[in-house]
Amino acid sequence: MGHGRTPVRTSAAGAVCAALLAGCVVGLAPAAQAAPSVRFVDITGDGGTVLKANVVTPEGADGTDAYPLIVLPTSWGLPQVEYLAQAQKLADSGYVVLTYNVRGFWQSGGEIEVAGPPDIADASKVIDWALDHTPADPRHIGMAGVSYGAGISLLAAAHDKRIKAVAALSGWADLISSIYSGRTQHVQAGALLDGAGVVTGHESPELRQIFDNFYASNLSREQEMIDWGRKRSVATYVDQLNRNGAAVMLANAWGDTIFPANQYADFYEKLTVPKRLEMRPGDHATAELTGLFGLPNDVWTDTGRWFDHYLKGVGNGIDREQPVQLKSRSTGGYEGYPDWKSVGATRRKIALAGSSTIHANVDSGADGGIVFLSSILDQVAQLPPMASIPLLPRRWAAVWQSERYGAPQRVRGTATLHTTLTPTKESGTLIAYLYDVGPLGFGKLVTNAPYTWYGRTPGEPFGVDLDLFSTAYDVPAGHRLALVVDTVDPLYIEHNPSGAQLTFSSPSDDPSYVSVPLREQ
């Protein structure tokens, strides 16, 4: 953090919150149909905090038989009716399903802890209650959730050995690398979470201070924020999770602007338990959304299959499928891979030759888009953020292009940037964008990522290595790839002092390049 700008606008955050609340109201429609089979209960969580919950049991359950248990913590800002459509489906297929509103939100007591120790303890208390008050089988317990519920489910599985299977949908494994990747604040993502928390819950003083330090770029509190985030990241407890042995299914969207795909893919590689990784087009939680209305949905279908196999022992073949399942943003079919490193089987480097100097503090027109809106447009209409590459002002944007490709280039995985940077100030921010450029020069955004530095000697070059956000995108034959670098993007807080300039060079002994992962042809 540092002396950056704070482009947070209350009206924007309020608009996002209003959209979330509208979604909650609409989401009650399918829940009302399931209400006759639902029992609403109060559960005493950690420290005596009352958690509002509901229980759905299989039809005809009379206490003589035990059923596998699935616990569903709610998403950030959503009430406990969020999962009722899916809870009904799971109950119909033989599960006891308990969904609960996490502490600090809606009618549940307590304050928002952001998956802190009280939330982890709450999950175990909820399981205890279910074993005492429902026909749940203590040998077959699973947890699942979307977004906040996903993060809590993973953390609970790392701390409670009773949990045998997890489905974490649009969640996080590393909170800091999600909203502070490249040492850069993802301000639109932070404002959305903050705004929703203010409207639908009760933020703790600790959380309020974290948000305030985040917006203010308070470098003196940076390590405190990082430590706070690590405590709330299952990546910190991956060894515990592996020892406990719960089967873990992870699902996310390529364009998730709150929890980028990279942090899930990195975490997946560290798991030694039975595991599955699914990536699809979309933004945060949009891939799962139709399933919350009870409509057919691939993510929820696979979630059901995951639990059927690992909690019921059903031989449905999910354990024999390729564990990494991807859907490209450009095509409709799924692709299976044995592991994440096989996704981009080959890499092609684009040389970033010569020297280019840009001025900071002005948006060049190359942008990552708007949280939710841009990735949803890409999901439903294949319309990602666009820019006219020839018209980008070279005073504020550095541009390099590949040759025209004679065959389609199937980008899969994580592109990486390596360059030498010489700044005129001790701190700064850059944003790197990879574009698919058509014959007329219009570029469609393939991926991007921010990078911030502090404490550098002005005029002294240093190396920059940056992972762009993972993606799957097909570049048509006859198109180029272009790397664009500028210094301002509405998605992020930038830290460029007034009058700063950045020079990118490619020394002969350390050439600059962007390495693009490609699927085998």
Side-chain angles (χ1 to χ4, degrees):
M1 300 177 342
H3 301 293
R5 294 176 173 81
T6 308
V8 181
R9 294 180 173 84
T10 303
S11 59
V16 173
C17 295
L20 280 174
L21 291 174
C24 294
V25 174
V26 174
L28 294 177
Q33 299 174 5
S37 63
V38 176
R39 181 161 57 108
F40 289 88
V41 300
D42 290 350
I43 298 176
T44 301
D46 185 59
T49 297
V50 176
L51 306 174
K52 297 296 182 177
N54 55 67
V55 181
V56 185
T57 53
E59 184 178 358
D62 56 9
T64 59
D65 295 316
Y67 300 89
L69 168 68
I70 296 178
V71 176
L72 302 168
T74 52
S75 300
W76 185 277
L78 296 187
Q80 79 231 45
V81 295
E82 173 188 6
Y83 300 116
L84 280 183
Q86 286 301 321
Q88 183 66 59
K89 288 187 176 184
L90 289 166
D92 287 345
S93 61
Y95 293 95
V96 172
V97 185
L98 191 155
T99 79
Y100 72 97
N101 226 108
V102 292
R103 65 170 54 224
F105 284 104
W106 292 87
Q107 293 90 0
S108 284
E111 297 174 325
I112 301 170
E113 297 285 345
V114 194
D119 289 304
I120 299 170
D122 284 346
S124 292
K125 292 285 188 180
V126 168
I127 292 172
D128 293 342
W129 187 94
L131 295 178
D132 290 341
H133 295 87
T134 74
D137 187 340
R139 301 166 300 169
H140 304 289
I141 298 173
M143 283 192 72
V146 176
S147 184
Y148 196 36
I152 291 175
S153 295
L154 286 169
L155 285 160
H159 289 82
D160 193 326
K161 295 181 180 179
R162 296 175 297 179
I163 300 170
K164 304 302 181 185
V166 172
L169 317 178
S170 290
W172 78 92
D174 188 326
L175 193 58
I176 295 301
S177 70
S178 293
I179 62 172
Y180 192 54
S181 73
R183 215 175 172 186
T184 309
Q185 297 97 323
H186 296 209
V187 68
Q188 287 189 16
L192 186 147
L193 295 172
D194 186 11
V198 168
V199 171
T200 65
H202 310 283
E203 292 184 344
S204 67
E206 180 186 37
L207 176 58
R208 184 67 262 152
Q209 189 63 57
I210 289 291
F211 273 126
D212 289 346
N213 291 337
F214 179 85
Y215 297 137
S217 306
N218 189 346
L219 191 59
S220 68
R221 308 297 289 273
E222 180 184 36
Q223 190 58 51
E224 178 184 320
M225 183 186 73
I226 290 172
D227 293 341
W228 176 89
R230 284 175 176 165
K231 184 185 294 187
R232 291 159 170 79
S233 300
V234 71
T236 303
Y237 312 101
V238 64
D239 291 340
Q240 290 177 219
L241 183 59
N242 285 331
R243 284 195 299 270
N244 287 351
V248 175
M249 172 180 153
L250 306 171
N252 205 359
W254 294 120
D256 195 319
T257 44
I258 297 180
F259 303 132
N262 293 45
Q263 48 92 35
Y264 248 19
D266 292 343
F267 177 68
Y268 175 83
E269 288 290 270
K270 298 174 184 176
L271 291 173
T272 58
V273 296
K275 59 185 180 178
R276 182 179 177 93
L277 176 66
E278 301 185 354
M279 296 286 192
R280 299 174 174 84
D283 205 314
H284 184 65
T286 62
E288 299 87 7
L289 182 61
T290 57
L292 296 178
F293 291 88
L295 301 174
N297 181 277
D298 289 353
V299 189
W300 286 104
T301 295
D302 286 347
T303 296
R305 295 174 64 222
W306 191 253
F307 286 135
D308 283 349
H309 181 75
Y310 286 102
L311 296 183
K312 288 183 177 181
V314 175
N316 54 19
I318 196 167
D319 58 318
R320 298 188 299 274
E321 296 172 0
Q322 296 276 41
V324 177
Q325 294 286 321
L326 311 181
K327 180 180 282 190
S328 169
R329 293 160 50 199
S330 309
T331 58
Y334 284 95
E335 304 166 0
Y337 300 87
D339 48 39
W340 177 253
K341 64 178 179 290
S342 299
V343 170
T346 60
R347 302 191 75 91
R348 172 172 288 183
K349 288 184 177 180
I350 301 171
L352 309 181
S355 178
S356 181
T357 298
I358 62 174
H359 295 249
N361 302 313
V362 174
D363 190 338
S364 71
D367 286 327
I370 301 172
V371 65
F372 278 127
L373 177 61
S374 297
S375 292
I376 291 174
L377 283 173
D378 186 35
Q379 178 183 2
V380 302
Q382 294 185 8
L383 289 175
M386 298 180 66
S388 174
I389 304 305
L391 296 182
L392 289 176
R394 274 28 177 196
R395 179 179 176 84
W396 297 299
V399 179
W400 298 267
Q401 295 193 73
S402 72
E403 76 283 1
R404 294 188 188 276
Y405 296 116
Q409 305 295 296
R410 295 181 174 86
V411 179
R412 300 289 186 274
T414 308
T416 58
L417 166 65
H418 174 75
T419 190
T420 296
L421 171 62
T422 305
T424 60
K425 305 290 184 178
E426 62 88 26
S427 65
T429 298
L430 64 83
I431 303 94
Y433 310 88
L434 190 66
Y435 282 98
D436 161 25
V437 185
L440 298 180
F442 288 103
K444 293 183 176 181
L445 186 64
V446 177
T447 181
N448 78 99
Y451 179 88
T452 294
W453 65 92
Y454 301 101
R456 293 289 178 176
T457 301
E460 184 174 301
F462 64 94
V464 171
D465 289 285
L466 175 63
D467 287 345
L468 279 63
F469 299 135
S470 304
T471 194
Y473 182 97
D474 296 346
V475 179
H479 285 212
R480 307 173 186 266
L481 281 171
L483 182 81
V484 177
V485 181
D486 72 1
T487 62
V488 177
D489 190 301
L491 288 174
Y492 313 111
I493 292 180
E494 50 94 0
H495 303 271
N496 296 292
S498 179
Q501 298 180 36
L502 311 181
T503 297
F504 302 92
S505 58
S506 184
S508 58
D509 60 343
D510 186 20
S512 296
Y513 59 84
V514 58
S515 177
V516 181
L518 301 174
R519 180 187 177 190
E520 287 185 345
Q521 301 298 318

